[in-house]
Amino acid sequence: MSKLFLVPTPVGNLGDMTYRGVEVLRSVDLILAEDTRTSRVLLQHYDIQTPMQSYHIFNEHQNVEGLVDRLQAGATIAVITDAGTPGISDPGFLLVREAVKAGVEVECLPGATAFVPALIDSGLPCDRFVFLGFLPHKKGRQTAIKALADEQRTMIIYESPFRLVKLLEELKDVVGGERLVSVSREISKVHSETVRGSIDEVHAHFGQKDVKGEIVVILSGKCQ
């Protein structure tokens, strides 16, 4: 019976993979991987022999129709990304949308995603929050950052390690250096780190080091 699975993969420690995630990846006909080189490490670790095909933001539009055809013909397919849950700032949404339109059953397994542990670890209110993902790199960036000034919910932002210090400087200019922020990097890896404090304090910490790893920034809302 045809089915499309979205399978979360570890954001750091390979031990964070779920038993069911491994079972699904072993049982499907095809695995779509954001980067086959990265995913091959995971598949070899869990002795998963399923055929794998590259599926990323640069080829998903041209491949989606053929993949839906395969699903309608009875194939079972799983989507994985380099880390975390497919569709969250990663490929996956487009294929899910078209599969749903075509009447194909879709299931996203519960599992790893970077922003949840970063949000909980931040110590900032997590009963109401807004996920912003990656802000625009150039066009529209300043407009997007200025829009954060009056947001009352806790904000979740993904950022490149190369732009983290710049982002903290941009946030300082808009919301002030006293606003509370938490930055998590390398979540669940050996060198994982979460730095909490005012924007001024966190900027001083990361401004003195070579920042590496995947970054999640948690910004407190106005009047929190």
Side-chain angles (χ1 to χ4, degrees):
M1 186 175 182
S2 65
K3 191 170 184 178
L4 175 65
F5 293 93
L6 287 89
V7 180
T9 54
V11 297
N13 193 311
L14 291 180
D16 293 336
M17 188 71 184
T18 67
Y19 287 114
R20 184 159 180 247
V22 172
E23 290 175 354
V24 168
L25 294 181
R26 285 175 176 167
S27 66
V28 294
D29 300 312
L30 176 68
I31 296 172
L32 302 178
E34 183 180 12
D35 187 327
T36 55
R37 295 166 300 180
T38 299
S39 296
R40 187 168 290 111
V41 175
L42 176 71
L43 300 191
Q44 290 177 345
H45 181 81
Y46 285 103
D47 192 27
I48 298 169
Q49 306 294 327
T50 307
M52 184 169 46
Q53 176 180 319
S54 177
Y55 181 74
H56 47 71
I57 60 172
F58 301 109
N59 69 10
E60 59 179 341
H61 283 85
Q62 67 193 54
N63 288 333
V64 66
E65 183 177 351
L67 292 169
V68 171
D69 287 344
R70 290 187 65 172
L71 287 164
Q72 288 183 306
T76 54
I77 297 177
V79 180
I80 60 175
T81 57
D82 293 349
T85 300
I88 304 296
S89 294
D90 279 322
F93 161 72
L94 179 62
L95 182 55
V96 169
R97 183 182 66 184
E98 297 307 311
V100 169
K101 286 181 180 179
V104 174
E105 185 177 359
V106 176
E107 181 177 1
C108 179
L109 274 59
T113 189
F115 78 79
V116 173
L119 175 62
I120 303 302
D121 285 345
S122 73
L124 297 172
C126 53
D127 55 335
R128 296 174 64 245
F129 59 88
V130 56
F131 175 74
L132 301 171
F134 287 97
L135 299 177
H137 294 174
K138 295 181 181 179
K139 185 178 180 180
R141 183 176 180 86
Q142 289 305 310
T143 300
I145 291 176
K146 288 179 180 178
L148 306 181
D150 294 323
E151 175 59 61
Q152 296 187 5
R153 296 168 292 181
T154 301
M155 291 159 273
I156 303 168
I157 303 169
Y158 284 173
E159 189 53 281
S160 157
F162 310 110
R163 288 190 298 270
L164 174 61
V165 172
K166 178 183 178 182
L167 172 64
L168 292 171
E169 292 169 351
E170 293 169 326
L171 292 175
K172 177 180 177 179
D173 291 340
V174 172
V175 304
E178 301 79 19
R179 181 77 70 91
L180 294 178
V181 70
S182 175
V183 174
S184 294
R185 67 179 192 89
E186 298 284 75
I187 293 172
S188 87
K189 295 182 180 179
V190 174
H191 301 292
S192 64
E193 176 185 31
T194 294
V195 180
R196 311 169 186 87
S198 68
I199 292 177
D200 283 338
E201 292 169 336
V202 175
H203 177 270
H205 174 85
F206 285 106
Q208 300 176 2
K209 62 188 299 183
D210 182 19
V211 184
K212 297 180 180 180
E214 297 78 18
I215 304 291
V216 184
V217 178
I218 310 296
L219 177 66
S220 62
K222 185 178 181 180
C223 301
Q224 283 186 353

